[in-house]
Amino acid sequence: QLQLVESGGGSVRAGGSLSVSCTISGYTYGGTYCVGWFRQAPGKEREGIAAFDSDGSTTYADSVKGRFTISADNAENTLTLYLQMTSLKAEDTAMYYCTAIGPYDGTYWAGCSFGYWGQGTQVTVSS
């Protein structure tokens, strides 16, 4: 059982930068993992935007490629996931969720079956 807790986010003007992070506890150090970030804007479906796996592979949605960077730090029983966001646009406004592979809940993206989710953190970009 994993627990995911996001932090960061907030409000920024278009063109600015923002970071969000996610602490994933219960993780087995040295184990195989796939973690990522999704977002959901009001009235829209949740979409995958970035993923990172234990092989070091990264996947980005076209909408954020070149502007967002996903990374992770490993420690015993804890993995910290980061999302650095630059050149933010108004359309990046959404609730951002970190996720990890787990009991399949129907969410499959970037080759990973996600099943654990954080509570979400709001990112608002004003134009």
Side-chain angles (χ1 to χ4, degrees):
Q1 183 84 13
L2 302 181
Q3 291 186 322
L4 289 73
V5 179
E6 295 103 338
S7 59
S11 298
V12 67
R13 298 186 68 87
S17 300
L18 209 58
S19 294
V20 290
S21 61
C22 176
T23 300
I24 303 173
S25 58
Y27 155 74
T28 300
Y29 183 76
T32 300
Y33 63 82
C34 182
V35 291
W37 292 94
F38 279 62
R39 67 185 181 186
Q40 187 167 22
K44 294 188 176 181
E45 291 188 355
R46 185 174 58 186
E47 61 170 344
I49 57 171
F52 180 92
D53 68 25
S54 49
D55 292 332
S57 297
T58 56
T59 301
Y60 294 98
D62 289 342
S63 58
V64 305
K65 198 173 293 183
R67 299 188 299 120
F68 290 13
T69 303
I70 187 172
S71 61
D73 287 336
N74 289 333
E76 188 169 354
N77 295 325
T78 300
L79 186 150
T80 305
L81 184 64
Y82 303 96
L83 184 68
Q84 176 68 36
M85 301 176 285
T86 64
S87 301
L88 283 161
K89 307 174 182 179
E91 50 264 43
D92 294 318
T93 295
M95 187 70 79
Y96 283 69
Y97 298 91
C98 64
T99 184
I101 54 173
Y104 184 55
D105 67 357
T107 307
Y108 184 81
W109 187 76
C112 302
S113 299
F114 295 107
Y116 290 109
W117 299 87
Q119 80 285 0
T121 186
Q122 179 68 36
V123 171
T124 302
V125 184
S126 58
S127 56

